[in-house]
Amino acid sequence: MKRKWIKLLLFLVALGLSTIFILHDNETKPSKAKGIEQDQVVPLPTDLHPVVKERSDQLVLQAAKKGIVVLITDGFRSIEEQNRIYEQGRTVEGNIVTNAKGGESYHNYGLAIDFALETPSGNVIWDRQYDGNQNGMADWSEVVQMAKSLGFEWGGDWKDFKDYPHFQLDFGLTIADLQNGQRPDESSNVADTQ
């Protein structure tokens, strides 16, 4: 009889420990994204995030006040479009302009823009030395300073692949976060810039 009680007691202890381990394991597993159920599909954006759009518009206006015409040449990109751009210089003719495949770029989540300058004659240029407003400072550098003051990160500051026409607002989210379904709130705001 004593053996049966010992076996029952050992079984209950093992059952209790198993339950504790299972509960602890479930608590420590990260969810795919904050506030997102494991099996919930989060759609990709189809346009620029409202804050990115607003800051882009502010950049264009601030530059115009200094006599610089900024053109936003690219904003939101679909996964398919990103893959086509990625193939440039690899499987199709042209120079390599990105190291990001579809889903690996902030453009794919509506959080990035690319820009160029427009000359008085209407030419679109990416000349980082051009001083169209003739104030002794390259217009490109002036635009970069304005964009940074608006909270944008500049691709020209990157260590490996320099992307000089690129600005992004990441809202503290990595590409992995975005791929896992996290999105900045539509009303998200980055550091005040005014």
Side-chain angles (χ1 to χ4, degrees):
M1 189 71 164
K2 199 174 188 181
R3 258 191 187 157
K4 284 185 180 180
W5 283 109
I6 292 174
K7 284 182 180 180
L8 179 62
L9 183 61
L10 288 173
F11 172 76
L12 291 175
V13 169
L15 182 64
L17 288 173
S18 297
T19 303
I20 290 170
F21 285 123
I22 289 169
L23 290 174
H24 176 73
D25 189 44
N26 285 340
E27 287 177 2
T28 59
K29 283 183 183 174
S31 64
K32 280 188 170 184
K34 296 175 191 169
I36 296 173
E37 299 297 322
Q38 288 289 339
D39 56 355
Q40 182 178 353
V41 176
V42 179
L44 287 171
T46 57
D47 205 355
L48 280 179
H49 185 281
V51 174
V52 176
K53 173 72 172 122
E54 177 189 329
R55 300 285 171 90
S56 301
D57 293 344
Q58 289 175 358
L59 177 63
V60 170
L61 290 172
Q62 285 181 16
K65 289 178 184 176
K66 289 193 168 207
I68 303 169
V69 179
V70 171
L71 298 176
I72 305 302
T73 59
D74 213 353
F76 170 80
R77 276 189 215 136
S78 69
I79 300 291
E80 296 77 20
E81 185 179 2
Q82 185 70 37
N83 281 330
R84 280 193 302 275
I85 293 170
Y86 178 80
E87 293 305 320
Q88 185 176 318
R90 293 177 175 89
T91 60
V92 297
E93 207 169 304
N95 295 325
I96 291 177
V97 294
T98 186
N99 282 337
K101 295 178 181 178
E104 297 175 354
S105 171
Y106 283 96
H107 284 283
N108 305 141
Y109 303 95
L111 304 178
I113 59 170
D114 291 339
F115 79 102
L117 303 175
E118 185 177 333
T119 66
S121 61
N123 292 326
V124 177
I125 62 170
W126 289 264
D127 182 346
R128 291 183 289 132
Q129 308 309 315
Y130 176 74
D131 182 14
N133 62 3
Q134 300 179 349
N135 66 353
M137 184 174 184
D139 292 355
W140 198 273
S141 297
E142 291 183 80
V143 172
V144 167
Q145 286 178 356
M146 287 180 244
K148 286 181 176 183
S149 74
L150 290 167
F152 282 104
E153 176 185 338
W154 179 44
D157 287 334
W158 297 343
K159 287 182 175 70
D160 296 327
F161 182 82
K162 303 282 188 185
D163 192 352
Y164 296 105
H166 180 91
F167 295 124
Q168 67 188 37
L169 289 173
D170 62 22
F171 298 91
L173 297 172
T174 66
I175 289 294
D177 293 333
L178 295 165
Q179 290 171 333
N180 287 326
Q182 292 186 47
R183 302 287 182 268
D185 185 43
E186 290 295 306
S187 62
S188 287
N189 207 347
V190 290
D192 287 333
T193 60
Q194 302 290 317

